[in-house]
């Protein structure tokens, strides 16, 4: 799975597939702003598979392998920089978000080989957002006592912040930023409470209030 590892639904909650405009290949060494590997300048044809009569895009194995290497190294050696990765299957490219780092950028250029990898700036790394994610998660009992309903918590894969799904956005923003500080990388979105799906009805077991006996079932 690609994207941030933090998605906590309460109860505790990819490759993220996107569409978008393509960037020409630009393998320049700049640290800030967006750049892309040389493979982005080469024509690429998206792959598709038909499932149940529906034609769907797929990630080519070569691009999948490149993304796997980047994701693994990003969460390990380059955790101070890596924010997340997503795949644009229609344009056959990976998009990497990172806090600017010369070392990580060099790794991305070498790892991309002939694949198209678009690199974009991020405000925070996965490692940084993990700290905020875990801090808010640990404080959930406190926020419940304060009347703040936090429905979900998830670090955004673009490094912009930790997204909190809450019932009352303005009240949650006021209280959490008062506690954590106005610069805390928290993003508040309105969310309904998680509702569990009803248990499926068994074709064998009788309803709980049924008085059907084994002999009755055998008839």
């Amino acid at each position: 799975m690609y994207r941030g590892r933090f998605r906590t639904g309460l109860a505790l909650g990819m490759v993220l597939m996107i569409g978008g405009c393509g960037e020409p290949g630009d393998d320049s060494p700049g640290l800030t702003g967006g750049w892309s590997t040389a493979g982005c300048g080469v024509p690429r044809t998206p792959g598709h598979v038909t499932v149940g009569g529906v034609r769907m895009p797929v990630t080519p194995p070569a691009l999948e392998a490149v993304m796997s290497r980047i994701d693994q190294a990003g969460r390990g050696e380059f955790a101070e920089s890596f924010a997340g990765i997503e795949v644009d299957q229609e344009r056959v490219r990976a998009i990497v978000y990172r806090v600017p780092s010369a070392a990580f950028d060099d790794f991305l250029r070498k790892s991309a080989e002939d694949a198209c990898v678009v690199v974009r700036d991020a405000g925070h790394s996965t490692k940084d957002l993990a700290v905020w994610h875990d801090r808010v998660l640990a404080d959930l009992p406190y926020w419940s006592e304060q009347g703040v309903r936090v429905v979900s918590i998830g670090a955004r894969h673009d490094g912009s912040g930790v997204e909190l799904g809450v019932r009352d956005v303005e009240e949650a923003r006021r209280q959490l930023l008062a506690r954590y500080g106005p610069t805390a990388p928290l993003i508040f979105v309105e969310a309904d409470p998680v509702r569990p799906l009803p248990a499926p009805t068994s074709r064998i077991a009788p309803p709980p209030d049924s008085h059907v006996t084994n002999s009755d079932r055998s008839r």
Side-chain angles (χ1 to χ4, degrees), residues 12 24 30 50-51 67 76 91 99 103-104 108-109 127 133 141 148 150 158 164 168 171 180 184 189-190 200 205 213:
L12 296 180
T50 301
V51 179
M67 294 178 68
R91 296 185 181 276
V99 176
F104 190 33
L108 293 174
R109 289 187 179 89
K127 184 177 179 179
H133 172 279
V148 177
V150 180
D158 62 0
L164 304 179
D168 187 330
E171 181 63 15
Y180 301 132
V189 298
E190 186 175 357
T213 65

Side-chain angles (χ1 to χ4, degrees), residues 8 21 32 36 44 47 53 78 95 106 118 128 133 142 150 168 180 186-187:
T8 307
C21 298
T32 58
S36 55
R44 304 177 304 281
F78 302 103
I95 302 175
D106 287 343
V118 177
D128 291 338
H133 172 279
Y142 170 81
V150 180
D168 187 330
Y180 301 132
L186 304 179
I187 301 168

